[in-house]
Coordinates of all heavy atoms in Angstrom, one line a residue:
M1484 N 90.2 129.4 86.4 CA 89.9 127.9 86.7 C 89.7 127.8 88.2 O 90.4 128.4 89.0 CB 91.1 127.1 86.2 CG 90.8 125.7 86.1 SD 92.1 124.6 85.5 CE 92.4 125.3 83.8
S1485 N 88.8 127.0 88.6 CA 88.5 126.8 90.0 C 89.6 126.0 90.7 O 90.4 125.3 90.1 CB 87.1 126.1 90.2 OG 87.3 124.7 90.0
D1486 N 89.6 126.1 92.1 CA 90.5 125.3 92.9 C 90.4 123.8 92.6 O 91.4 123.1 92.5 CB 90.3 125.6 94.3 CG 90.8 127.0 94.7 OD1 91.6 127.6 94.0 OD2 90.4 127.4 95.8
K1487 N 89.1 123.4 92.5 CA 88.9 121.9 92.2 C 89.5 121.5 90.9 O 90.2 120.5 90.8 CB 87.4 121.6 92.2 CG 86.8 121.6 93.6 CD 85.4 121.0 93.6 CE 84.5 121.9 92.9 NZ 83.1 121.4 92.9
Q1488 N 89.3 122.4 89.9 CA 89.9 122.0 88.6 C 91.4 122.0 88.6 O 92.1 121.2 88.0 CB 89.4 123.0 87.5 CG 87.9 122.9 87.2 CD 87.4 123.9 86.3 OE1 87.8 125.1 86.4 NE2 86.5 123.6 85.4
E1489 N 92.0 123.0 89.4 CA 93.5 123.0 89.5 C 94.0 121.7 90.2 O 95.0 121.2 89.9 CB 93.9 124.3 90.3 CG 93.8 125.5 89.5 CD 94.7 125.6 88.3 OE1 95.8 125.0 88.3 OE2 94.3 126.2 87.3
M1490 N 93.3 121.3 91.3 CA 93.7 120.1 92.0 C 93.6 118.9 91.1 O 94.5 118.1 91.1 CB 92.8 119.9 93.2 CG 93.1 120.8 94.4 SD 92.2 120.5 95.9 CE 90.8 121.5 95.6
I1491 N 92.5 118.8 90.3 CA 92.3 117.7 89.4 C 93.4 117.7 88.4 O 94.0 116.7 88.0 CB 90.9 117.7 88.8 CG1 89.9 117.4 89.8 CG2 90.9 116.7 87.6 CD1 88.5 117.7 89.3
K1492 N 93.7 118.9 87.8 CA 94.8 119.0 86.8 C 96.1 118.5 87.4 O 96.9 117.8 86.8 CB 94.9 120.5 86.4 CG 95.9 120.7 85.3 CD 96.0 122.2 84.9 CE 97.1 122.5 83.9 NZ 97.2 123.9 83.6
K1493 N 96.4 118.9 88.7 CA 97.7 118.5 89.3 C 97.7 117.0 89.5 O 98.8 116.4 89.3 CB 97.8 119.3 90.6 CG 99.0 118.9 91.5 CD 100.3 119.3 90.9 CE 101.4 119.0 91.9 NZ 102.7 119.2 91.4
L1494 N 96.6 116.4 90.0 CA 96.6 115.0 90.2 C 96.8 114.2 88.9 O 97.5 113.3 88.8 CB 95.2 114.6 90.8 CG 95.0 114.9 92.2 CD1 93.5 114.7 92.6 CD2 95.9 114.2 93.2
L1495 N 96.2 114.7 87.8 CA 96.4 114.1 86.5 C 97.8 114.2 86.0 O 98.4 113.3 85.4 CB 95.4 114.6 85.5 CG 93.9 114.3 85.7 CD1 93.1 115.0 84.7 CD2 93.7 112.8 85.6
E1496 N 98.4 115.4 86.2 CA 99.9 115.5 85.9 C 100.7 114.6 86.7 O 101.7 114.0 86.1 CB 100.3 117.0 86.1 CG 99.7 118.0 85.2 CD 100.0 119.4 85.6 OE1 100.6 119.7 86.6 OE2 99.5 120.3 84.8
M1497 N 100.4 114.4 87.9 CA 101.2 113.5 88.8 C 101.1 112.1 88.3 O 102.1 111.3 88.2 CB 100.8 113.7 90.2 CG 101.2 115.0 90.9 SD 100.6 115.1 92.6 CE 101.7 113.9 93.4
Q1498 N 99.8 111.7 88.0 CA 99.6 110.3 87.5 C 100.4 110.1 86.2 O 101.0 109.1 86.0 CB 98.1 110.1 87.2 CG 97.3 109.9 88.4 CD 95.8 109.7 88.1 OE1 95.4 110.0 87.0 NE2 95.1 109.3 89.1
K1499 N 100.3 111.1 85.3 CA 101.0 111.0 84.0 C 102.5 110.8 84.2 O 103.2 109.9 83.6 CB 100.8 112.2 83.1 CG 101.4 112.1 81.8 CD 101.2 113.4 81.0 CE 101.9 113.3 79.6 NZ 101.8 114.5 78.9
K1500 N 103.1 111.6 85.1 CA 104.6 111.4 85.4 C 104.9 110.1 86.0 O 105.9 109.5 85.7 CB 105.1 112.6 86.3 CG 105.1 113.9 85.6 CD 105.6 115.0 86.5 CE 105.5 116.3 85.8 NZ 105.9 117.4 86.7
F1501 N 104.0 109.6 86.9 CA 104.2 108.3 87.5 C 104.2 107.2 86.5 O 105.1 106.3 86.5 CB 103.2 108.0 88.6 CG 103.3 106.7 89.2 CD1 104.1 106.5 90.3 CD2 102.6 105.6 88.7 CE1 104.2 105.3 90.9 CE2 102.7 104.3 89.3 CZ 103.5 104.2 90.4
I1502 N 103.2 107.2 85.6 CA 103.1 106.2 84.6 C 104.3 106.2 83.6 O 104.8 105.2 83.3 CB 101.7 106.4 83.8 CG1 100.6 106.0 84.8 CG2 101.7 105.5 82.6 CD1 99.2 106.4 84.2
E1503 N 104.7 107.4 83.3 CA 105.9 107.5 82.4 C 107.1 106.9 83.1 O 107.9 106.2 82.4 CB 106.2 109.0 82.0 CG 105.2 109.6 81.1 CD 105.4 111.1 80.9 OE1 106.2 111.7 81.6 OE2 104.6 111.6 80.1
H1504 N 107.3 107.2 84.3 CA 108.4 106.6 85.1 C 108.3 105.1 85.2 O 109.3 104.4 85.0 CB 108.5 107.2 86.5 CG 109.5 106.6 87.4 ND1 110.9 106.8 87.1 CD2 109.4 105.8 88.5 CE1 111.5 106.1 88.1 NE2 110.7 105.5 88.9
E1505 N 107.1 104.7 85.5 CA 106.8 103.2 85.6 C 107.1 102.5 84.3 O 107.8 101.4 84.3 CB 105.4 102.9 86.0 CG 105.1 101.5 86.2 CD 103.6 101.2 86.5 OE1 102.8 102.0 86.1 OE2 103.4 100.2 87.2
H1506 N 106.7 103.0 83.2 CA 106.9 102.4 81.9 C 108.4 102.4 81.5 O 108.9 101.5 80.9 CB 106.1 103.1 80.8 CG 104.6 102.7 80.9 ND1 103.7 103.2 80.0 CD2 103.9 102.0 81.8 CE1 102.5 102.8 80.3 NE2 102.6 102.0 81.4
K1507 N 109.1 103.5 81.8 CA 110.5 103.6 81.5 C 111.4 102.8 82.3 O 112.2 102.0 81.8 CB 110.9 105.1 81.6 CG 112.3 105.4 81.2 CD 112.7 106.8 81.4 CE 114.2 107.0 81.1 NZ 114.7 108.0 82.0
D1508 N 111.2 102.9 83.7 CA 112.2 102.2 84.6 C 111.5 101.1 85.5 O 112.3 100.5 86.2 CB 112.8 103.3 85.5 CG 113.5 104.3 84.7 OD1 114.2 104.0 83.8 OD2 113.4 105.5 85.1
G1509 N 110.2 101.0 85.4 CA 109.6 100.1 86.4 C 109.6 100.7 87.8 O 110.3 101.6 88.1
V1510 N 108.7 100.2 88.6 CA 108.6 100.7 90.0 C 108.4 99.5 90.9 O 107.4 98.8 90.8 CB 107.4 101.7 90.2 CG1 107.2 102.1 91.6 CG2 107.5 102.9 89.3
S1511 N 109.4 99.3 91.7 CA 109.3 98.2 92.7 C 108.5 98.7 93.9 O 108.3 99.9 94.1 CB 110.7 97.8 93.2 OG 111.2 98.9 94.0
M1512 N 108.0 97.8 94.7 CA 107.2 98.2 95.9 C 108.1 99.0 96.8 O 107.6 99.9 97.5 CB 106.7 96.9 96.6 CG 105.5 96.3 95.8 SD 104.7 94.9 96.7 CE 104.0 95.8 98.0
E1513 N 109.4 98.6 96.9 CA 110.3 99.3 97.8 C 110.4 100.8 97.3 O 110.4 101.7 98.2 CB 111.6 98.6 97.8 CG 112.6 99.3 98.7 CD 114.0 98.6 98.7 OE1 114.2 97.6 98.0 OE2 114.9 99.1 99.5
E1514 N 110.6 101.0 96.0 CA 110.7 102.3 95.6 C 109.4 103.1 95.8 O 109.5 104.3 96.1 CB 111.1 102.4 94.1 CG 111.2 103.8 93.5 CD 111.5 103.9 92.1 OE1 111.3 102.9 91.3 OE2 111.9 105.0 91.6
Y1515 N 108.3 102.5 95.6 CA 107.0 103.2 95.8 C 106.8 103.6 97.2 O 106.4 104.7 97.5 CB 105.9 102.3 95.3 CG 104.5 103.0 95.4 CD1 104.2 104.0 94.5 CD2 103.6 102.7 96.4 CE1 102.9 104.6 94.6 CE2 102.4 103.3 96.5 CZ 102.1 104.3 95.5 OH 100.9 104.9 95.6
F1516 N 107.0 102.7 98.2 CA 106.7 102.9 99.6 C 107.9 103.6 100.3 O 107.6 104.3 101.3 CB 106.3 101.6 100.3 CG 104.9 101.2 99.9 CD1 104.8 100.1 99.0 CD2 103.8 101.8 100.3 CE1 103.5 99.7 98.6 CE2 102.5 101.4 99.9 CZ 102.4 100.4 99.1
T1517 N 109.1 103.3 99.9 CA 110.3 103.9 100.6 C 111.3 104.4 99.6 O 112.4 103.9 99.5 CB 110.9 103.0 101.6 OG1 111.3 101.8 100.9 CG2 110.0 102.6 102.8
P1518 N 110.9 105.4 98.8 CA 111.8 105.9 97.7 C 113.1 106.5 98.3 O 113.1 107.1 99.4 CB 111.0 106.9 97.0 CG 110.0 107.4 97.9 CD 109.7 106.2 98.9
S1519 N 114.2 106.4 97.6 CA 115.4 107.0 98.0 C 115.3 108.5 97.8 O 114.4 109.0 97.1 CB 116.6 106.4 97.2 OG 116.4 106.7 95.8
D1520 N 116.3 109.2 98.3 CA 116.2 110.7 98.2 C 116.4 111.2 96.7 O 115.9 112.2 96.4 CB 117.4 111.3 99.0 CG 117.1 111.2 100.5 OD1 115.9 111.1 100.9 OD2 118.1 111.3 101.3
D1521 N 117.0 110.4 95.9 CA 117.1 110.8 94.5 C 116.1 110.2 93.5 O 116.1 110.4 92.4 CB 118.5 110.4 94.0 CG 118.8 108.9 94.0 OD1 118.1 108.2 94.7 OD2 119.7 108.5 93.3
S1522 N 115.1 109.5 94.1 CA 114.0 108.9 93.3 C 113.0 110.0 92.9 O 112.7 110.9 93.7 CB 113.3 107.8 94.2 OG 112.1 107.4 93.5
P1523 N 112.5 109.9 91.7 CA 111.4 110.8 91.3 C 110.1 110.6 92.1 O 109.2 111.4 92.0 CB 111.2 110.5 89.8 CG 111.9 109.2 89.5 CD 112.9 109.0 90.6
L1524 N 110.1 109.5 92.8 CA 108.9 109.2 93.6 C 109.0 109.7 95.0 O 108.1 109.5 95.8 CB 108.6 107.7 93.6 CG 108.3 107.1 92.3 CD1 108.0 105.6 92.4 CD2 107.1 107.8 91.6
K1525 N 110.1 110.3 95.4 CA 110.3 110.9 96.7 C 109.1 111.9 97.0 O 109.0 112.9 96.3 CB 111.6 111.6 96.8 CG 111.9 112.1 98.2 CD 112.2 111.0 99.2 CE 112.6 111.6 100.5 NZ 112.7 110.6 101.5
G1526 N 108.3 111.6 98.0 CA 107.2 112.4 98.4 C 106.0 112.3 97.6 O 104.9 112.9 97.9
Y1527 N 106.0 111.5 96.6 CA 104.9 111.3 95.6 C 103.6 110.8 96.4 O 102.5 111.5 96.2 CB 105.2 110.4 94.5 CG 104.0 110.0 93.6 CD1 103.7 110.9 92.6 CD2 103.3 108.9 93.8 CE1 102.6 110.6 91.7 CE2 102.2 108.6 93.0 CZ 101.9 109.5 92.0 OH 100.8 109.2 91.2
R1528 N 103.7 109.7 97.1 CA 102.5 109.2 97.7 C 101.9 110.2 98.7 O 100.6 110.3 98.7 CB 102.9 107.9 98.5 CG 103.0 106.7 97.7 CD 103.2 105.4 98.5 NE 103.8 105.5 99.8 CZ 103.2 105.3 101.0 NH1 102.0 104.9 101.0 NH2 103.9 105.5 102.1
Q1529 N 102.7 110.8 99.5 CA 102.1 111.7 100.5 C 101.5 113.0 99.8 O 100.4 113.4 100.1 CB 103.2 112.2 101.4 CG 103.7 111.2 102.3 CD 104.8 110.3 101.6 OE1 105.2 110.5 100.5 NE2 105.2 109.2 102.3
E1530 N 102.1 113.5 98.8 CA 101.6 114.7 98.1 C 100.3 114.3 97.4 O 99.3 115.0 97.4 CB 102.6 115.2 97.1 CG 102.1 116.5 96.4 CD 103.1 117.0 95.3 OE1 104.2 116.5 95.2 OE2 102.8 118.0 94.7
Y1531 N 100.3 113.1 96.7 CA 99.1 112.7 96.0 C 98.0 112.5 96.9 O 96.8 112.9 96.7 CB 99.4 111.4 95.1 CG 98.4 111.1 94.2 CD1 98.4 111.6 92.9 CD2 97.3 110.3 94.5 CE1 97.4 111.3 92.0 CE2 96.3 110.0 93.6 CZ 96.3 110.6 92.3 OH 95.3 110.3 91.4
R1532 N 98.2 111.8 98.0 CA 97.2 111.5 99.0 C 96.6 112.8 99.6 O 95.4 113.0 99.7 CB 97.7 110.6 100.1 CG 96.7 110.3 101.2 CD 97.3 109.9 102.5 NE 98.1 111.0 103.0 CZ 99.3 110.9 103.6 NH1 99.8 109.7 103.7 NH2 100.0 111.9 104.0
D1533 N 97.5 113.7 100.0 CA 97.1 115.0 100.6 C 96.2 115.8 99.6 O 95.2 116.3 100.0 CB 98.2 115.8 101.0 CG 99.0 115.2 102.2 OD1 98.5 114.2 102.8 OD2 100.1 115.6 102.5
L1534 N 96.6 115.8 98.4 CA 95.9 116.6 97.4 C 94.5 115.9 97.1 O 93.5 116.6 97.0 CB 96.7 116.7 96.1 CG 96.2 117.6 95.0 CD1 95.9 119.0 95.5 CD2 97.1 117.7 93.8
A1535 N 94.5 114.6 97.0 CA 93.3 113.9 96.7 C 92.3 114.1 97.9 O 91.1 114.3 97.7 CB 93.5 112.4 96.5
M1536 N 92.8 114.0 99.1 CA 91.9 114.2 100.3 C 91.4 115.6 100.4 O 90.3 115.9 100.7 CB 92.7 113.8 101.6 CG 92.9 112.3 101.7 SD 91.3 111.4 101.9 CE 91.1 110.8 100.2
K1537 N 92.2 116.6 100.0 CA 91.8 118.0 99.9 C 90.7 118.2 98.9 O 89.7 118.9 99.2 CB 93.0 118.9 99.6 CG 92.6 120.4 99.6 CD 93.8 121.2 99.4 CE 93.5 122.7 99.4 NZ 94.6 123.5 99.1
L1538 N 90.8 117.5 97.8 CA 89.8 117.5 96.8 C 88.5 116.9 97.3 O 87.4 117.5 97.1 CB 90.2 116.8 95.5 CG 89.3 116.8 94.3 CD1 89.0 118.2 93.8 CD2 89.9 115.9 93.2
V1539 N 88.6 115.8 98.0 CA 87.4 115.1 98.5 C 86.7 116.1 99.6 O 85.5 116.3 99.5 CB 87.7 113.8 99.2 CG1 86.6 113.3 100.1 CG2 88.1 112.8 98.2
D1540 N 87.5 116.7 100.4 CA 87.0 117.6 101.4 C 86.3 118.8 100.8 O 85.2 119.2 101.2 CB 88.1 118.1 102.4 CG 88.6 117.0 103.3 OD1 87.9 115.9 103.5 OD2 89.7 117.1 103.8
T1541 N 86.9 119.3 99.7 CA 86.3 120.4 99.0 C 85.0 120.1 98.4 O 84.0 120.8 98.5 CB 87.3 121.0 97.9 OG1 88.5 121.4 98.6 CG2 86.7 122.1 97.2
A1542 N 84.9 118.9 97.8 CA 83.7 118.4 97.2 C 82.6 118.2 98.3 O 81.4 118.6 98.0 CB 83.9 117.1 96.5
H1543 N 82.9 117.7 99.4 CA 82.0 117.6 100.5 C 81.5 119.0 101.0 O 80.3 119.1 101.3 CB 82.5 116.8 101.7 CG 82.5 115.3 101.5 ND1 81.3 114.6 101.4 CD2 83.5 114.4 101.3 CE1 81.6 113.3 101.2 NE2 82.9 113.2 101.1
E1544 N 82.4 119.9 101.1 CA 82.0 121.3 101.6 C 81.0 121.9 100.6 O 80.0 122.5 101.0 CB 83.2 122.1 101.7 CG 84.1 121.9 102.8 CD 85.4 122.7 102.8 OE1 85.5 123.6 102.0 OE2 86.3 122.4 103.6
D1545 N 81.3 121.7 99.3 CA 80.4 122.2 98.2 C 79.0 121.7 98.3 O 78.0 122.3 98.0 CB 81.0 122.0 96.9 CG 82.2 122.8 96.5 OD1 82.6 123.7 97.3 OD2 82.9 122.5 95.5
R1546 N 78.9 120.4 98.7 CA 77.6 119.7 98.8 C 77.0 119.8 100.2 O 75.9 119.3 100.4 CB 77.7 118.3 98.3 CG 78.0 118.1 96.9 CD 76.9 118.6 96.1 NE 77.2 118.5 94.7 CZ 76.4 119.1 93.7 NH1 75.4 119.7 94.1 NH2 76.8 119.0 92.5
G1547 N 77.7 120.3 101.2 CA 77.2 120.3 102.5 C 77.1 118.9 103.2 O 76.3 118.7 104.1
S1548 N 78.0 118.0 102.7 CA 78.0 116.7 103.3 C 79.3 116.4 104.0 O 80.1 117.3 104.1 CB 77.8 115.6 102.2 OG 78.9 115.7 101.3
H1549 N 79.4 115.3 104.6 CA 80.7 114.9 105.2 C 81.0 113.5 105.0 O 80.2 112.7 104.5 CB 80.6 115.2 106.8 CG 79.4 114.5 107.4 ND1 79.2 113.1 107.4 CD2 78.3 115.0 108.0 CE1 78.1 112.8 108.0 NE2 77.5 114.0 108.4
R1550 N 82.2 113.1 105.3 CA 82.6 111.7 105.0 C 82.8 111.0 106.3 O 82.9 111.5 107.4 CB 83.9 111.7 104.2 CG 85.1 112.4 104.7 CD 86.2 112.2 103.7 NE 87.3 113.2 104.0 CZ 88.5 112.8 104.2 NH1 88.9 111.6 104.0 NH2 89.4 113.7 104.5

């Protein structure tokens, strides 16, 4: 499987876990933006953003374009 496919798979897994958590316990803005150390969302935003931006950069490299 290509790196892009692996990144997409990881992003989808992260989304699925987020949605499951949201449906089960709800997600306040405070928890989303400043999660506690024991929150399942700790580091989520940063990891998701970094992975999504890496995927965008990879797609641009493949096409020889830039953002």
Side-chain angles (χ1 to χ4, degrees):
M1484 196 176 298
S1485 76
D1486 287 343
K1487 286 190 295 186
Q1488 289 173 325
E1489 287 296 326
M1490 286 185 271
I1491 291 168
K1492 182 179 176 184
K1493 174 71 175 174
L1494 288 169
L1495 291 173
E1496 288 171 2
M1497 290 178 71
Q1498 285 179 348
K1499 181 180 177 185
K1500 288 179 183 178
F1501 177 88
I1502 290 168
E1503 287 172 357
H1504 174 69
E1505 181 183 32
H1506 286 181
K1507 182 180 172 218
D1508 301 319
V1510 175
S1511 68
M1512 289 186 69
E1513 181 178 2
E1514 180 184 15
Y1515 183 74
F1516 288 103
T1517 57
S1519 63
D1520 288 338
D1521 63 340
S1522 171
L1524 297 182
K1525 181 72 175 173
Y1527 173 84
R1528 280 188 331 115
Q1529 294 81 6
E1530 182 181 358
Y1531 191 90
R1532 180 202 59 222
D1533 292 347
L1534 188 55
M1536 288 296 96
K1537 184 176 178 183
L1538 181 61
V1539 168
D1540 291 341
T1541 301
H1543 279 292
E1544 286 174 13
D1545 289 351
R1546 292 294 177 190
S1548 62
H1549 54 62
R1550 56 181 169 126

